[in-house]
């Protein structure tokens, strides 16, 4: 299994705080979101990682070269030159040649998560599987589950109807990979380069392709899109990562229960 991290976006909803820094380089306890993801993938036994870059690409490359020199040979970079006028469906499409027909796990680069969340996902035998949290979260894509399968996947699902919150991580078997990129190819040909790649997954669901799921199991995670998400990450998720052993070498910090300084706008 390979891994693709989608890190090309501008993060426009949080730019007033990041000041041009790619969201994946936002730091918690001296480690960037991207560091958490790379370390978690390597710990889960993923031998090859591709990072799709665009906005701030040199910053990302330099950061990875400095912080992950021991794993440098395991990491590739794919540039999306159209990052400013496309969405992550196009970024993932550009990774097609690198992925080929391999099973792979795809992560949005702005997701801070406990590494154990990935383990059931990389072990699944489903052709397509999403990671969900049973808690409702606003401004995040939701799913409806029936008969053990995801039957609907979109942002506008109400609290009354939702079954879980999608955390921005999806796995694909070799067959699932072929189905996904076939659907993405159709959407690209239709000019839908501004969509999220999950639209391709929705199209496959509509055609009867089973989409399964694994769960966070109550372990901490968050997607960081706006200033409120960043506050939540700083004051709730990162401290819980420390407590749950999700930060390597941070056991002493867990005892001290240190919090990061609050965000100032």
């Amino acid at each position: 299994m390979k891994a693709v991290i989608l890190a090309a976006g501008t993060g426009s909803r949080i730019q007033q705080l990041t000041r041009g820094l790619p969201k994946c380089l936002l730091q918690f306890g001296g480690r960037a979101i991207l560091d958490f993801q790379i370390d978690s993938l390597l710990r889960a036994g993923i031998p090859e990682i591709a990072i799709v870059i665009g906005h701030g690409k040199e910053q990302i490359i330099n950061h990875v070269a400095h912080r992950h020199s021991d794993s440098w040979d395991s990491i590739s970079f794919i540039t999306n030159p159209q990052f400013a006028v496309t969405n992550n469906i196009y970024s993932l499409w550009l990774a097609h040649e690198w992925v080929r027909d391999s099973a792979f796990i795809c992560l949005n680069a702005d997701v801070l998560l406990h590494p154990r969340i990935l383990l059931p996902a990389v072990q699944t035998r489903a052709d397509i599987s999403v990671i969900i949290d049973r808690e409702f979260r606003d401004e995040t894509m939701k799913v409806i589950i029936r008969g053990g399968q995801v039957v609907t996947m979109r942002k506008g699902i109400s609290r009354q109807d939702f079954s879980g919150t999608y955390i921005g991580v999806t796995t694909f078997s070799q067959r699932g990979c072929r189905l996904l990129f076939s659907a993405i190819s159709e959407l690209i040909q239709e000019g839908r380069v501004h969509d999220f790649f999950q639209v391709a997954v929705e199209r496959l669901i509509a055609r009867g392709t089973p989409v399964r799921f694994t769960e966070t199991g109550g372990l901490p995670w968050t997607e960081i899109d706006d200033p409120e998400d960043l506050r939540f990450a700083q004051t709730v998720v990162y401290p819980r990562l420390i407590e749950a052993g999700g930060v390597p070498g941070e056991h002493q910090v867990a005892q001290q229960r240190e919090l990061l300084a609050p965000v100032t706008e």
Side-chain angles (χ1 to χ4, degrees), residues 3 16 26 40 42 54 60 110 121 142 167 177 183 189 199 212 215 230 239 244-245 250 252-253 261 265:
Q16 73 270 31
L26 287 170
S40 296
L42 293 173
I60 294 173
D110 58 0
K142 317 296 189 305
I167 78 165
C177 173
Q189 290 175 18
V199 171
R212 309 292 184 179
E215 301 189 35
L230 183 54
E250 293 286 349
Q252 296 83 4
V253 182
E265 298 189 45

Side-chain angles (χ1 to χ4, degrees), residues 12-158:
S12 59
R13 295 169 62 188
I14 201 171
Q15 279 184 333
Q16 73 270 31
L17 297 180
T18 60
R19 296 178 175 85
L21 185 76
K23 279 196 298 181
C24 65
L25 297 186
L26 287 170
Q27 295 206 0
F28 299 84
R31 300 174 73 236
I33 298 173
L34 189 59
D35 299 330
F36 282 91
Q37 291 196 352
I38 291 172
D39 291 341
S40 296
L41 289 166
L42 293 173
R43 288 170 63 183
I46 306 297
E48 297 179 77
I49 301 170
I51 306 172
V52 185
I53 53 177
H55 171 68
K57 64 179 183 179
E58 295 299 331
Q59 292 173 285
I60 294 173
I61 292 171
N62 291 337
H63 177 90
V64 174
H66 176 68
R67 294 298 296 267
H68 300 277
S69 57
D70 291 346
S71 306
W72 183 253
D73 291 341
S74 300
I75 301 171
S76 302
F77 296 94
I78 300 166
T79 300
N80 177 359
Q82 303 297 322
F83 70 89
V85 292
T86 60
N87 209 329
N88 72 11
I89 191 170
Y90 191 73
S91 289
L92 185 51
W93 173 243
L94 293 175
H96 187 192
E97 184 176 343
W98 181 86
V99 172
R100 296 185 182 274
D101 285 333
S102 298
F104 76 102
I105 183 168
C106 184
L107 299 86
N108 293 335
D110 58 0
V111 179
L112 179 67
L113 79 171
H114 194 289
R116 288 206 303 270
I117 290 174
L118 295 183
L119 297 181
V122 301
Q123 293 168 358
T124 182
R125 295 185 178 182
D127 284 331
I128 303 175
S129 182
V130 298
I131 303 180
I132 67 163
D133 189 328
R134 291 290 184 172
E135 291 188 7
F136 184 91
R137 296 204 188 173
D138 291 325
E139 298 298 322
T140 305
M141 191 170 291
K142 317 296 189 305
V143 300
I144 296 175
I145 296 168
R146 295 197 188 101
Q149 295 183 192
V150 175
V151 296
T152 306
M153 186 177 183
R154 54 183 167 80
K155 273 195 171 184
I157 298 172
S158 69

Side-chain angles (χ1 to χ4, degrees), residues 147-255:
Q149 295 183 192
V150 175
V151 296
T152 306
M153 186 177 183
R154 54 183 167 80
K155 273 195 171 184
I157 298 172
S158 69
R159 184 185 292 269
Q160 179 180 351
D161 296 329
F162 99 112
S163 303
T165 298
Y166 169 64
I167 78 165
V169 183
T170 312
T171 57
F172 302 90
S173 69
Q174 288 182 304
R175 179 175 181 272
C177 173
R178 291 191 292 270
L179 290 170
L180 172 74
F181 283 112
S182 176
I184 289 179
S185 178
E186 293 174 4
L187 290 162
I188 295 293
Q189 290 175 18
E190 293 167 14
R192 298 181 63 176
V193 295
H194 301 101
D195 286 333
F196 293 103
F197 83 83
Q198 287 80 12
V199 171
V201 176
E202 293 177 64
R203 180 168 286 193
L204 292 173
I205 291 172
R207 292 173 177 171
T209 301
V211 173
R212 309 292 184 179
F213 62 93
T214 59
E215 301 189 35
T216 61
L219 291 167
W221 72 277
T222 190
E223 187 176 50
I224 301 175
D225 281 327
D226 56 34
E228 188 57 38
D229 291 340
L230 183 54
R231 290 189 188 93
F232 180 69
Q234 290 179 322
T235 60
V236 177
V237 175
Y238 181 67
R240 286 186 60 203
L241 278 175
I242 295 172
E243 292 173 356
V247 182
E250 293 286 349
H251 301 296
Q252 296 83 4
V253 182
Q255 294 174 354

